[in-house]
């Protein structure tokens, strides 16, 4: 084994080692708005589901490593505590990647990438029409994990409304896993795609 004392690694090294090992990570494409109504859309792979009752997801917009500034998504959420978590499939991955470019604040990534804004039912930020699953959420807590470059900010988002594309549910309303075509982030520039050949079932003991 090769072992590292975490306190002796710098932030890019820690990020690189941990993101290769803690993978694959699902991707939340998060839409938010600021107080003036400007829309923002950005991807986050520090993301998962943490509770079903109440239904709560967590994602983490980190402080930028290069200059310790905060991401527009986080700034918007302090102003308007609502978001839509749009799930990412293979079909939209390239546009999702484009959304992560360093646009100036106030630039709407929907317009930059050609993704389509769809009005939400319970929250103000729009959904991504092309996303297979859209989760309208209200933010119940924001927890900064530090003040330095790379520090995460946990956003606890309670799911209020769930939208599925028609082909993802069977006639009884049950999800068809093979149809989701999900993608996930690994380390560096690596991604993986959940294809039917990669899927298997494991019965509970
Ligand atoms: C697939 C993917 C996943 C990402 N995950 C995160 C993440 O979990 N946390 C984070 O701070 N940045 C993450 N980024 C980078 C942000 O998307 C990027 O910094 C973006 O410009 C932030 O936008 P904003 O300032 O408009 O909120 C990710 C980028 C990509 C392409």
């Amino acid at each position: 084994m090769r072992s590292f004392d975490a306190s002796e690694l710098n932030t890019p090294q820690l990020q690189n080692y941990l993101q290769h090992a803690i993978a694959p990570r699902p991707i939340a494409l998060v839409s938010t708005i600021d107080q003036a109504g400007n829309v923002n859309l950005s991807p986050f792979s520090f993301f998962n589901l943490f509770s079903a009752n109440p239904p709560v997801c967590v994602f983490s917009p980190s402080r930028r490593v290069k200059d310790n500034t905060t991401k527009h998504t986080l700034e918007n959420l302090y102003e308007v505590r609502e978001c839509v978590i749009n799930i990412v499939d293979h079909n939209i991955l390239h546009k999702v990647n484009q959304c992560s470019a360093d646009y100036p604040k106030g630039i709407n990534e929907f317009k930059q990438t050609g993704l389509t804004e769809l009005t939400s039912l319970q929250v103000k930020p729009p959904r991504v029409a092309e996303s297979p699953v859209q989760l309208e959420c209200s933010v119940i807590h924001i927890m900064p994990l530090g003040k330095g470059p790379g520090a995460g900010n946990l956003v606890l988002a309670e799911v209020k409304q769930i939208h599925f594309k028609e082909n993802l549910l069977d006639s009884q309303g049950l999800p068809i896993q093979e149809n989701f075509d999900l993608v996930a982030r690994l380390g560096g520039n690596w991604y993986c795609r959940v294809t039917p050949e990669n899927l298997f079932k494991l019965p509970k003991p």
Side-chain angles (χ1 to χ4, degrees):
M1 297 293 274
R2 289 182 61 184
S3 299
F4 303 94
D5 178 338
S7 67
E8 287 169 7
L9 298 173
N10 62 35
T11 304
Q13 286 172 322
L14 277 167
Q15 192 164 330
N16 196 37
Y17 283 134
L18 294 173
Q19 288 190 182
H20 279 80
I22 301 175
R25 297 179 306 284
I27 304 168
L29 180 60
V30 179
S31 35
T32 55
I33 58 167
D34 66 12
Q35 236 156 19
N38 296 305
V39 173
N40 192 89
L41 184 65
S42 301
F44 298 95
S45 72
F46 291 1
F47 160 60
N48 222 305
L49 171 68
F50 283 92
S51 169
N53 180 26
V56 176
C57 297
V58 179
F59 64 92
S60 176
S62 306
R63 301 181 73 91
R64 293 191 184 87
V65 175
K66 61 171 189 217
D67 57 7
N68 199 24
T69 53
T70 49
K71 307 229 165 146
H72 306 141
T73 301
L74 181 69
E75 292 165 7
N76 285 358
L77 288 172
Y78 277 119
E79 292 181 24
V80 178
R81 295 174 79 91
E82 294 179 338
C83 63
V84 181
I85 295 175
N86 302 279
I87 299 299
V88 175
D89 67 6
H90 187 256
N91 191 41
I92 59 170
L93 182 62
H94 284 90
K95 288 182 175 177
V96 171
N97 190 33
Q98 257 181 285
C99 287
S100 75
D102 235 344
Y103 297 110
K105 190 161 164 66
I107 293 295
N108 180 345
E109 288 87 354
F110 278 94
K111 301 230 159 64
Q112 300 299 314
T113 58
L115 289 166
T116 313
E117 289 185 26
L118 202 58
T119 306
S120 298
L121 299 186
Q122 295 201 42
V123 299
K124 287 180 275 307
R127 312 177 257 150
V128 176
E130 294 82 357
S131 162
V133 184
Q134 306 134 8
L135 310 173
E136 298 184 21
C137 300
S138 78
V139 170
I140 53 178
H141 192 59
I142 302 177
M143 185 197 282
L145 296 177
K147 292 183 176 161
N153 293 278
L154 301 187
V155 177
L156 277 63
E158 181 170 346
V159 179
K160 297 293 189 182
Q161 184 88 29
I162 309 172
H163 308 268
F164 283 101
K165 277 217 164 133
E166 287 291 338
N167 71 320
L168 300 183
L169 304 183
D170 66 17
S171 55
Q172 280 149 31
L174 298 175
I176 308 167
Q177 189 69 78
E178 304 92 294
N179 287 0
F180 280 67
D181 201 13
L182 298 170
V183 288
R185 187 130 196 231
L186 297 96
N189 290 335
W190 288 103
Y191 288 82
C192 65
R193 181 176 183 181
V194 183
T195 56
E197 311 84 75
N198 286 325
L199 283 171
F200 61 92
K201 282 187 172 173
L202 186 61
K204 293 177 186 71

